[in-house]
Amino acid sequence: MTATRRSLPLFMIIMFVTTFLTIQVHGQSSSPERDRLQFRASLIQRNSVLSNSPSINAAPGEPRPLVYDVTLYGADPTGVTDSTDALLGAISDALRGPSNGFLLQGIVNLGGAQINLQGGNYLISRPLQFPVAGRGNLVIHGGTLKASNNFPANGYLIDISPSSNNGSSSAFNYEFITLRDLLLDSNYRGGGIQVVNSLRTSIDNCYITHFTTNGILVQGGHETYIRSSYLGQHITAGGDRGEKHFSGTAINLMGNDNSVTDVVIFSAAIGIMVSGQANTLSGVHCYNKATGFGGTGIYLKLPGLTQTRIVNSYLDYTGIVAEDPVQLHISSSFFLGDAYILLKSINGVMNGVNIVDNMFAGSNRGIDIVQLDQRKGAFKQVDQVVIDRNNVKGMKLKATVARQSVHGNGSSWIADLNSVLLFPNLIKRVQYTFITTGNSFPNHALRNISSNQVVIQSDLAVPATIFVTADQGNSF
């Protein structure tokens, strides 16, 4: 019984090896009959794919697939012929496809339908504008779109705005539209992506170039999230000879509650323009156009109600401009190449501003890290402004909090804080410590704070050291 059990595994191994060798020999053989069978099988497989294509009308009541392959609509993945109509056909079918209830009231849930560009390069002569409103849960992904030479100069390659309302009852045009893994080449004709009055839009892993207006324009709506993307009017890695001629805006946020995260902007006159509230910019690297050439990394055009947070970002030879900033937070960011922050007076208001814990590096030309533009009038309403704890190398430190020690033998000590304090002639609070090494106990007091100079006087002449801290930003 034991010998039989031992011989059984050996017999099974021999049978397995023999079968494997037989399969390998037959698999490598070729014959006209086998070739015909393979060709027939490929036709059967192709016909099966076509029969499941959304371009083929399904029978009434028959489930339709949710993946719309654009080549099955006639799109040319080589980019030689115009694919506009084919791509619009796929978008139209997807938006009018089967629904799975609703998202926000009036927004039809398309169930995660996908418009698959299949890794192709498609030439288009008109914007890919959505034909109807009131749709959500749709993905466009995986390919390249390039504007033709006759593409409208004011158009956008992908236009998430409706050409027809189609009776939608929603307050928003779309919800949960995702654009990912796309390269958009505007061919110096218009812009890349336009999102109008939409909710929870995601733009992820996109490369947008050769725009003349905006790489991405967001108008109205809420919560457009732009992540892990690259934008530039010209394809360059810095030091471009034509940098002074860069134009256009890479990202233009004209709406609220949006987020830009881990994005590189490598060429444009303005990196990010913000004119809506409650937006967040994080992990942004702007080297779009140097300040010396008239460029701006981030422009906050929201005088009176900014409500913007800029954190963990890299301003590379280009800075930040904020008009009448109210509730603005800038922290943990790096400013290179004499890049600085410019606070611009429109109506003279600055309130609730934090510029803290940043690093500035420059060329030892004495450029202030924070500057004021008061050509339209001085800042007259300044409160809750904290510019402090920043470090500099090769630039000039500016802050709303200044500290100084003064040593002398006499009855008057003056701490001149103009070299550090940002605002001229604006000290709101002073704290000081009076230390004398003599045997007397003089009376002393703060006597003057005008012109950013703190004057401490005593009733007796004594040797003393005065430690002064002055604050320009807080009224309480």
Side-chain angles (χ1 to χ4, degrees):
M1 190 68 174
T2 303
T4 302
R5 287 179 178 175
R6 289 178 180 175
S7 63
L8 184 58
L10 179 61
F11 172 78
M12 293 177 65
I13 292 171
I14 294 172
M15 290 297 294
F16 173 79
V17 172
T18 303
T19 304
F20 177 78
L21 290 175
T22 302
I23 292 172
Q24 290 295 309
V25 170
H26 284 284
Q28 295 173 0
S29 64
S30 178
S31 67
E33 178 62 20
R34 183 175 179 275
D35 291 343
R36 283 194 296 272
L37 290 173
Q38 284 184 332
F39 178 72
R40 181 180 178 187
S42 68
L43 286 178
I44 293 172
Q45 184 178 11
R46 173 176 168 77
N47 289 335
S48 175
V49 171
L50 287 173
S51 66
N52 289 318
S53 166
S55 63
I56 305 299
N57 293 327
E62 182 181 338
R64 298 176 64 186
L66 298 179
V67 178
Y68 300 81
D69 294 335
V70 297
T71 56
L72 298 178
Y73 287 81
D76 177 10
T78 67
V80 175
T81 60
D82 193 326
S83 295
T84 307
D85 290 334
L87 294 171
L88 287 173
I91 292 172
S92 179
D93 276 5
L95 292 176
R96 293 182 169 92
S99 65
N100 290 267
F102 289 85
L103 300 174
L104 191 71
Q105 183 178 359
I107 301 289
V108 175
N109 180 8
L110 297 175
Q114 299 180 28
I115 299 171
N116 184 7
L117 300 186
Q118 301 172 269
N121 189 334
Y122 304 96
L123 184 70
I124 62 174
S125 56
R126 304 190 310 280
L128 300 181
Q129 185 175 15
F130 285 19
V132 294
R135 301 293 188 271
N137 198 6
L138 171 72
V139 180
I140 302 176
H141 68 96
T144 297
L145 300 176
K146 182 177 181 179
S148 66
N149 292 332
N150 60 343
F151 190 89
N154 61 347
Y156 288 83
L157 293 172
I158 299 178
D159 189 348
I160 305 179
S161 69
S163 58
S164 170
N165 185 267
N166 198 42
S168 173
S169 61
S170 174
F172 297 94
N173 292 329
Y174 305 99
E175 181 183 2
F176 193 32
I177 303 296
T178 299
L179 308 177
R180 60 175 170 83
D181 306 332
L182 299 171
L183 190 153
L184 304 180
D185 184 348
S186 297
N187 192 27
Y188 302 111
R189 311 260 326 157
I193 299 171
Q194 177 174 238
V195 181
V196 178
N197 193 32
S198 296
L199 186 65
R200 292 183 270 274
T201 303
S202 178
I203 300 173
D204 195 1
N205 192 36
C206 291
Y207 188 116
I208 303 172
T209 188
H210 298 152
F211 50 85
T212 54
T213 53
N214 301 285
I216 299 173
L217 172 61
V218 178
Q219 296 189 69
H222 287 270
E223 301 149 18
T224 293
Y225 274 50
I226 303 169
R227 297 182 291 257
S228 305
S229 294
Y230 307 87
L231 298 96
Q233 184 181 66
H234 302 271
I235 298 178
T236 178
D240 194 287
R241 292 182 179 179
E243 182 173 346
K244 63 182 179 180
H245 302 298
F246 291 172
S247 63
T249 300
I251 299 175
N252 194 345
L253 301 178
M254 301 174 66
N256 302 340
D257 307 340
N258 304 298
S259 174
V260 179
T261 307
D262 300 333
V263 167
V264 175
I265 300 172
F266 51 86
S267 62
I270 299 175
I272 303 176
M273 173 73 80
V274 182
S275 55
Q277 285 79 34
N279 293 290
T280 302
L281 313 180
S282 174
V284 174
H285 181 190
C286 291
Y287 61 103
N288 47 289
K289 185 177 184 177
T291 300
F293 290 134
T296 304
I298 300 171
Y299 198 116
L300 305 174
K301 198 174 184 64
L302 309 100
L305 191 60
T306 313
Q307 294 182 331
T308 298
R309 293 145 291 167
I310 303 173
V311 297
N312 299 325
S313 293
Y314 179 10
L315 282 301
D316 193 346
Y317 283 80
T318 186
I320 298 174
V321 176
E323 296 183 353
D324 274 2
V326 174
Q327 293 194 310
L328 168 63
H329 182 87
I330 302 173
S331 71
S332 304
S333 295
F334 179 42
F335 295 76
L336 179 67
D338 292 321
Y340 58 86
I341 299 170
L342 179 66
L343 305 176
K344 188 174 182 178
S345 173
I346 303 299
N347 298 304
V349 178
M350 188 184 306
N351 196 321
V353 175
N354 300 319
I355 301 175
V356 296
D357 301 327
N358 301 287
M359 298 188 298
F360 294 81
S363 56
N364 294 302
R365 293 189 294 162
I367 295 177
D368 297 344
I369 63 171
V370 181
Q371 302 180 20
L372 301 178
D373 180 349
Q374 301 187 94
R375 290 174 294 178
K376 291 188 176 182
F379 282 104
K380 298 177 181 179
Q381 301 177 43
V382 178
D383 196 18
Q384 300 184 76
V385 177
V386 180
I387 302 173
D388 196 17
R389 302 198 313 268
N390 301 295
N391 68 70
V392 301
K393 181 179 181 182
M395 296 183 73
K396 188 176 178 182
L397 183 67
K398 282 291 181 180
T400 57
V401 179
R403 303 164 183 86
Q404 193 177 107
S405 63
V406 182
H407 180 73
N409 191 341
S411 60
S412 183
W413 294 262
I414 300 176
D416 189 343
L417 305 175
N418 279 290
S419 63
V420 175
L421 290 177
L422 176 65
F423 298 96
N425 195 26
L426 181 68
I427 292 179
K428 296 187 174 183
R429 298 176 60 189
V430 173
Q431 290 181 321
Y432 75 91
T433 302
F434 189 102
I435 301 176
T436 179
T437 57
N439 295 323
S440 60
F441 291 88
N443 296 313
H444 52 82
L446 172 66
R447 302 295 290 175
N448 201 329
I449 58 172
S450 63
S451 300
N452 287 341
Q453 293 182 333
V454 176
V455 180
I456 308 295
Q457 293 182 342
S458 65
D459 61 346
L460 299 174
V462 293
T465 299
I466 312 298
F467 296 94
V468 174
T469 300
D471 189 342
Q472 292 188 316
N474 289 296
S475 299
F476 53 85

